[in-house]
Amino acid sequence: MIEKLTEAAKKAAENSYSPYSGFTVGAALLTKDGKIYTGCNIENAAYSVANCAERTAFFKAVSEGEREFKAMAVVGGRDGDFTDFCYPCGVCRQALSEFCGEDFMIITIKENGEYKKTTLGELLPSSFGKENLS
Ligand code: THU
């Protein structure tokens, strides 16, 4: 499954619209029932409007009715060169936490196929969630 997600994330990165940063990101999100939703980063002339690849994939899935997720694979690097591991930013971690639990797996992958697995719980400990609002 990691190979399939890696390929999907790399393919999504090909659609990255990042003329301002030159930083290309692709993400592939796996639902609990095995569907894959992909996303790329989408920048804007008004820089702060940029949307990360992870949130693109997540919002696509949620808008299609998905609510249960298992894992996400991420590739990212300058000019499509995935020499380092790219982790979801803080905003994306928080966005994912709405529907993804602490055991949600995040896989970051380098061009050479090397990968690291971590969980949302590790990347976003003591998070703020809907339970805090009740
Ligand atoms: N970016 C992502 O898409 N995901 C990340 O995990 C980190 C950053 C994007 C946002 C922006 O288009 C570019 O990378 C540089 O920050």
Side-chain angles (χ1 to χ4, degrees), residues 27-76:
L29 175 62
L30 180 66
T31 68
K32 281 218 170 124
D33 57 8
K35 269 178 91 177
I36 295 175
Y37 289 84
T38 60
C40 63
N41 56 330
I42 304 166
E43 298 186 349
N44 190 279
Y47 298 162
S48 64
V49 178
N51 201 60
C52 291
E54 295 90 330
R55 268 176 293 146
T56 302
F58 181 65
F59 291 153
K60 278 171 70 180
V62 172
S63 71
E64 295 297 317
E66 304 290 353
R67 296 291 185 269
E68 294 193 317
F69 303 100
K70 214 170 173 176
M72 174 177 268
V74 185
V75 294

Side-chain angles (χ1 to χ4, degrees), residues 18 21 23 25 41-43 50-54 74 86-89 92:
S18 42
S21 72
F23 198 86
V25 188
N41 56 330
I42 304 166
E43 298 186 349
N51 201 60
C52 291
E54 295 90 330
V74 185
C86 176
Y87 286 89
C89 77
C92 288

Side-chain angles (χ1 to χ4, degrees), residues 42-117:
I42 304 166
E43 298 186 349
N44 190 279
Y47 298 162
S48 64
V49 178
N51 201 60
C52 291
E54 295 90 330
R55 268 176 293 146
T56 302
F58 181 65
F59 291 153
K60 278 171 70 180
V62 172
S63 71
E64 295 297 317
E66 304 290 353
R67 296 291 185 269
E68 294 193 317
F69 303 100
K70 214 170 173 176
M72 174 177 268
V74 185
V75 294
R78 193 160 288 281
D79 301 319
D81 191 5
F82 309 131
T83 45
D84 290 318
F85 292 116
C86 176
Y87 286 89
C89 77
V91 172
C92 288
R93 294 175 197 195
Q94 180 65 32
L96 288 166
S97 76
E98 187 66 22
F99 294 119
C100 304
E102 293 196 329
D103 59 345
F104 177 79
M105 185 168 293
I106 293 168
I107 307 148
T108 58
I109 306 127
K110 286 191 192 179
E111 186 59 55
N112 64 6
E114 197 184 335
Y115 66 84
K116 278 191 181 173
K117 288 200 279 189

